Amino acid sequence: MHSEISLLRDGAILLGFGLAFVLVFRRLGLGATLGYLVAGAVVGPHVLGLVGDAESKLGIAEIGITLLLFIVGLELNPARLWRMKHEIFGLGLLQVTACGLAITGIVLLAHFSMEAALALGLPLALSSTAQVLPMLQSSGRLRTPFGERAFSILLFQDLSIVPLITIVAAMSRNPADHAGPPGWILALETGAAIIGLIVAGRFLLRPLFRLIGNMGEREMFVFAGLFTVIASAAVMELLGLSTALGAFIAGVMLADSPYRHELEADVEPFRSILLGLFFLAVGMMLNLPAIIERPIFVAVMALALIATKTFVIFVIGLAFRMNWRSAFALGLLMSQGGEFGFVLFAQAKAGYLIAPEAASLFGAIITLSMATTPFLMAATRRIREEPVIMRGEKREGPVTDGANALIVGYGRFGQTVAQMLIASDIPVTLIDRDIEMIDIAAEFGAKVYYGDGTRLDLLRQAGAAEAELILFCLDEDQITLELLESVHAAFPNASLFVRAYDRRAVLRLKGGPASYVVREVLESAVKMARLAMDSLKIDRAEIDRVETMYRARDKERLAAQAASGDLRAANDRIITQDERKV
């Protein structure tokens, strides 16, 4: 009972301090990651001493890293990888290699051994995905060529975690790490595990998610998503391999499935919470006395890290034909250390490659570099702004596989809307909850994602923040004014279009943020009436006059009904058999 109370107390303290510091740091424009780290240091043993046993909490919180790799895997469908292959595997590989070796050389100058320098220098080549992506999104640059290159580097950095973990493990001086099987057997086990996970994903996971989708139980989707991540990681851990690799493979298995956006939306809250707890635990483990003893070393190394990465990435950017402004901005944006550095430092410490004091010192260097990035970007904003002539140049395609139009509902109505937009070369993302219809659409080559398109979190995962159009084409009367207002508040840059079930729905949505509300059967009914009159050889001008009169009467009725709130209002505007032509 006492241990349960202690756990609840620690949880309350960590969440409370984390919330307070993140709010403050967000307000100052420094990002949530730095807020978590500082909050952990404050509640840790070297400041207030309110919470202990940071290592056990770090073990639990590492599930957040696992979930982050799963979400990265979900982003990697084959089409996207192929489109960005040169930036990911060219620019990204060159950045990690060049920066890692350059920083390793600097660490060697600080009188570390070669193994220790590699264990410290290679992780410092990685940047903070948790810090850089929100900065790109908030500045509106995520879908520009500049944002595409930054995203490609971050993506390759995330992919490089597994080989970097393998490199650190291979240099380990811990006898326990060398008691395992030979390297070639480990490689075979890794390959077999990856193939096994891929086969399981194709023949077990996809049918499982299809079954759950037919049931319509969102809770089961959350449960199955977490099971997929944890089970994949557990299989790899059982074989003595990287749990991050298992989660990543699980994400890739499902990246091209219709359930991708639903899984992202369901797993994201758990990832955010556990990743926050991870940074809190890292902050608690920072050896502040060791840092205070060598503040000049920490400051100089942080400055050297920022300057080295900025210069190297600047040169690489120029080699990839970026203009000097964009190359310099890219270098500054990626100049900080990243969250995975803490993971690799912990592994290097466990392998007796570096002392605990060194892990704390270089953890502080990462933290300090993260703190400087927002200030560096703000200070160089004028340099980063391109001349007017450059801003007018033709841009490349979108960075992500997000769309200019998001269509919710792919029934008979949504299909027509989608086909016409696609025919106009407008990128479209389709969302529906009907599993049978999704399967049928796939047979005709249409990619429809499973999910409830009235959920803000799912819309956000599907790219609503970058979309220019959001079109609700759902059957029946499912759209409310409250929903449209919340969608408009969350994604103010998107124009909203709504398929209304009847005139009652039109009246209910009147005055809302929708750009257009279309009564679902109005145009088809008008079309049938025109065809019927035409078959009776009625003059085309008379048909046009009748349609114009009907539309005007209908508009008057809607206005009167909206004003009175009574559907029976303005019945005199209905055209009856007694009414004669004027």
Side-chain angles (χ1 to χ4, degrees), residues 68-276:
L68 179 59
L69 264 294
F70 175 68
I71 291 176
V72 170
L74 285 175
E75 295 290 335
L76 292 178
N77 62 66
R80 185 179 185 192
L81 273 176
W82 183 254
R83 189 179 71 240
M84 300 173 62
K85 60 184 181 296
H86 297 298
E87 286 78 13
I88 295 173
F89 299 104
L91 184 60
L93 175 61
L94 191 57
Q95 183 274 323
V96 171
T97 304
C99 287
L101 294 177
I103 298 168
T104 297
I106 294 174
V107 176
L108 277 173
L109 297 176
H111 307 294
F112 285 87
S113 67
M114 176 57 75
E115 293 84 356
L118 283 170
L120 292 168
L122 293 179
L124 289 173
L126 307 181
S127 306
S128 175
T129 302
Q131 188 176 31
V132 173
L133 279 185
M135 292 180 69
L136 288 172
Q137 289 174 331
S138 62
S139 64
R141 307 190 78 185
L142 186 58
R143 301 183 67 183
T144 64
F146 173 85
E148 181 172 19
R149 291 187 172 97
F151 182 79
S152 298
I153 291 174
L154 291 172
L155 195 55
F156 185 85
Q157 288 180 357
D158 290 337
L159 293 176
S160 68
I161 298 302
V162 174
L164 288 178
I165 289 174
T166 304
I167 291 172
V168 173
M171 296 189 299
S172 174
R173 297 168 181 165
N174 189 340
D177 292 339
H178 297 289
W184 67 273
I185 293 180
L186 190 63
L188 287 177
E189 289 181 350
T190 302
I194 292 174
I195 293 172
L197 287 175
I198 293 173
V199 171
R202 175 66 62 181
F203 296 104
L204 295 178
L205 288 181
R206 292 200 178 197
L208 172 64
F209 284 112
R210 187 178 189 281
L211 176 63
I212 295 172
N214 281 323
M215 294 171 60
E217 295 286 343
R218 185 195 170 192
E219 292 78 7
M220 292 301 296
F221 239 103
V222 177
F223 201 88
L226 291 176
F227 166 76
T228 300
V229 180
I230 302 301
S232 301
V235 168
M236 301 302 266
E237 184 180 46
L238 184 65
L239 297 173
L241 304 174
S242 166
T243 57
L245 176 61
F248 175 74
I249 296 300
V252 173
M253 286 188 300
L254 297 167
D256 202 33
S257 74
Y259 316 108
R260 168 188 156 194
H261 293 305
E262 178 76 18
L263 285 168
E264 281 185 285
D266 290 338
V267 170
E268 178 65 25
F270 297 96
R271 194 275 307 175
S272 300
I273 294 170
L274 289 169
L275 200 57

Side-chain angles (χ1 to χ4, degrees), residues 528-540 543:
M528 178 178 281
R530 289 186 62 96
L531 291 172
M533 287 186 283
D534 187 62
S535 71
L536 296 176
K537 309 301 183 185
I538 296 176
D539 184 69
R540 185 62 57 87
I543 295 176

